[in-house]
């Protein structure tokens, strides 16, 4: 009877150990699944970041082009204004000269 009691205790201990092991295995599997999900999310975020960097680079280049165009436009407007001013002075001089005749 005593050996039956010890056998039952040993069997119970094995059963409890197996149950603990199964619980640990289940937690490990869930953690491994979560890690895989996070790795996928991380890869997607890295792709998004790379695309954002590409877009930022394109926008910086476009901004430089726009700034260059604005500077060129300013120079052209200054040239046009100078020509207009010179034309006005010439017209005024012609008017003065023709008025005095």
């Amino acid at each position: 009877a005593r050996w039956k009691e010890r056998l039952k205790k040993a069997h119970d201990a094995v059963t409890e150990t197996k149950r603990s092991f199964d619980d640990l295995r289940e937690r490990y599997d869930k953690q491994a699944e979560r890690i895989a999900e996070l790795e996928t999310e991380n890869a997607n975020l890295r792709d998004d970041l790379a695309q954002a960097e590409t877009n930022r680079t394109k926008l910086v280049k476009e901004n430089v082009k726009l700034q260059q165009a604005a500077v060129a436009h300013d120079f052209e407007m200054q040239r046009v204004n100078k020509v207009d001013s010179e034309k006005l002075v010439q017209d005024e001089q012609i008017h003065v000269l023709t008025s005095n005749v």
Side-chain angles (χ1 to χ4, degrees), residues 77-93:
M77 290 306 297
Q78 288 173 6
R79 187 188 69 75
V80 167
N81 288 337
K82 182 179 177 189
V83 168
D84 285 350
S85 295
E86 290 171 356
K87 177 85 169 97
L88 284 174
V89 169
Q90 287 176 354
D91 288 350
E92 185 62 31
Q93 288 172 346

Side-chain angles (χ1 to χ4, degrees), residues 18 33 41 44 48 79 84 97:
K18 184 179 180 324
E33 184 177 315
E41 185 177 340
N44 290 338
D48 290 349
R79 187 188 69 75
D84 285 350
L97 289 173

Side-chain angles (χ1 to χ4, degrees), residues 14 17 22 45 72 77-78 94:
V14 168
T17 301
D22 290 344
L45 289 172
M77 290 306 297
Q78 288 173 6
I94 291 171

Side-chain angles (χ1 to χ4, degrees), residues 20-71:
S20 293
F21 177 79
D22 290 344
D23 289 346
L24 286 173
R25 169 60 74 187
E26 186 176 332
R27 286 197 339 225
Y28 173 83
D29 289 345
K30 285 181 181 177
Q31 288 175 346
E33 184 177 315
R34 182 66 181 137
I35 288 169
E37 290 170 357
L38 290 172
E39 286 173 343
T40 299
E41 185 177 340
N42 189 33
N44 290 338
L45 289 172
R46 286 181 189 273
D47 290 346
D48 290 349
L49 179 61
Q51 185 61 50
E53 270 301 310
T54 299
N55 292 343
R56 187 189 71 78
T57 300
K58 288 178 183 176
L59 289 172
V60 167
K61 288 178 181 178
E62 185 64 24
N63 189 36
V64 168
K65 288 178 186 176
L66 290 172
Q67 288 175 347
Q68 290 170 339
V71 168

